[in-house]
Amino acid sequence: MALRSNPTLRQRRLGSELRRMREQAGLGGSELARKLGISPAQMTQMEMAKIGVSPERLRMVASACGCANEPLIDALAAMASERRKGWWEDYRGALTIDFLEVAELEAHARRLTFCTTAYMPGLLQTRAYAAAVFARLFPPLSAKEVEARTAFRLRRQEIVRSGSTPLRTFIHEAALRMQFGGPAVLVEQLRALIDDSEHPGISVRVVPFALDTFPGSGENLTFAEGPVPELDTIEMDVSQGALFFDSQADLAKHRVIFSRLDSTALGEAESREFIRSVMKEVKSGNV
């Protein structure tokens, strides 16, 4: 069997869950391999997502590890049975891997929650705003690269525009006022944000400067809910791309962060009025 050279995010997650299951059972890789009747090398390759694992073998691993979490086992078996490539694979080689992995994460999420402090959530950006965000990168991108990234970002938005994936957003006032592309672009973006906030599957909540405290450390975060809580994922935007976290400790910490945001951010109607007030200030030049 040929080894995978570039396992996808989902394939790596499946492998890491197999390793986590084994470690929770207190088994070494060689010991579990013997129980399964495979070589230690095969066990390592499965956990590193270098080779695939069938749903049947996954259930054998769960049984050998004494895992009785049936919802988790069923969710992992469903992941193991996936064969169809996502639309983002058409961009492999044209964009960096982190772009593809973010789209893959979003496409499989039951619900998405964003916390943004520097710019609008990518899934709610207008074309002009998104292009301006990419155009400000250093070293500068070519016009072709900016267009490719912008088109990809707009394609990602289909999951929330269609209503197939619920979206919650917590947007700091700093992001509402940060100008990418100038006042006219920002006004258009704020108007679009107000329209999006009235969509039944989209919740927009503002975190104003006036709040005494801001939960979290200020990164732009995505909390992607999986089919079971154990398969939730956190994605963090950094200058080098995207970082992904899925340890139970990281998930627990960020659940608290988003819970605090939920209790402190303005309500949806109040947030719409706040965005309108910022839009009026930008239009009048009083920013």
Side-chain angles (χ1 to χ4, degrees), residues 173 177 179 183 186-187 190 276-287:
E173 182 178 348
R177 296 183 179 277
Q179 293 194 20
L186 180 56
V187 168
L190 293 171
R276 287 191 181 98
S277 69
V278 173
M279 185 171 66
K280 289 178 181 178
E281 289 181 28
V282 176
K283 290 174 72 174
S284 66
N286 296 323
V287 291

Side-chain angles (χ1 to χ4, degrees), residues 11-273:
Q11 290 166 347
R12 298 200 308 272
R13 180 63 182 274
L14 181 57
S16 68
E17 290 299 325
L18 291 176
R19 183 182 67 252
R20 191 170 287 143
M21 194 181 291
R22 172 179 61 76
E23 291 174 345
Q24 289 176 347
L27 296 172
S30 297
E31 185 179 1
L32 179 55
R34 284 196 302 273
K35 287 177 175 285
L36 298 175
I38 62 176
S39 70
Q42 284 179 291
M43 191 69 239
T44 299
Q45 289 162 356
M46 283 196 302
E47 292 183 353
M48 295 180 66
K50 292 296 184 180
I51 60 173
V53 54
S54 67
E56 295 74 23
R57 176 154 286 175
L58 184 141
R59 293 184 185 279
M60 290 173 60
V61 171
S63 177
C65 293
C67 178
N69 188 336
E70 288 300 328
L72 174 61
I73 295 170
D74 289 342
L76 292 174
M79 289 174 65
S81 66
E82 292 173 1
R83 295 293 181 269
R84 189 171 59 181
K85 291 184 177 181
W87 62 265
W88 50 89
E89 290 295 335
D90 293 341
Y91 290 80
R92 188 171 292 276
L95 296 174
T96 56
I97 295 298
D98 54 299
F99 278 84
L100 279 58
E101 292 185 337
V102 167
E104 183 183 14
L105 177 69
E106 293 170 345
H108 290 95
R110 292 289 180 89
R111 182 172 72 161
L112 293 164
T113 302
F114 288 172
C115 168
T116 58
T117 58
Y119 43 78
M120 304 296 179
L123 295 188
L124 299 181
Q125 291 179 7
T126 64
R127 172 177 284 276
Y129 186 95
V133 169
F134 291 125
R136 66 84 166 96
L137 296 177
F138 187 86
L141 300 173
S142 68
K144 183 178 180 180
E145 289 173 315
V146 169
E147 174 55 29
R149 294 186 182 204
T150 301
F152 188 84
R153 177 158 292 179
L154 296 180
R155 180 78 183 274
R156 282 171 47 210
Q157 295 178 359
E158 292 178 8
I159 60 171
V160 293
R161 304 292 184 199
S162 66
S164 63
T165 305
L167 173 65
R168 290 193 308 163
T169 64
F170 297 99
I171 307 175
H172 197 273
E173 182 178 348
L176 295 179
R177 296 183 179 277
M178 190 76 73
Q179 293 194 20
F180 293 97
V185 171
L186 180 56
V187 168
E188 178 192 37
Q189 173 65 73
L190 293 171
R191 185 178 294 114
L193 188 61
I194 293 170
D195 292 341
D196 284 332
S197 73
E198 296 175 335
H199 189 287
I202 299 174
S203 172
V204 176
R205 308 271 303 280
V206 172
V207 182
F209 286 134
L211 282 183
D212 291 337
T213 59
F214 177 64
S217 53
E219 299 95 345
N220 292 319
L221 300 170
T222 299
F223 194 100
E225 297 180 26
V228 293
E230 294 87 347
L231 296 180
D232 292 348
T233 307
I234 301 129
E235 184 266 321
M236 180 185 299
D237 287 349
V238 295
S239 59
Q240 294 84 2
L243 299 177
F244 301 92
F245 304 91
D246 56 35
S247 75
Q248 294 307 304
D250 281 323
L251 293 174
K253 180 180 74 173
H254 284 84
R255 288 188 185 108
V256 172
I257 288 174
F258 280 104
S259 176
R260 290 177 178 173
L261 280 168
D262 189 44
S263 65
T264 57
L266 301 181
E268 292 180 3
E270 194 176 0
S271 293
R272 272 191 289 273
E273 289 306 311

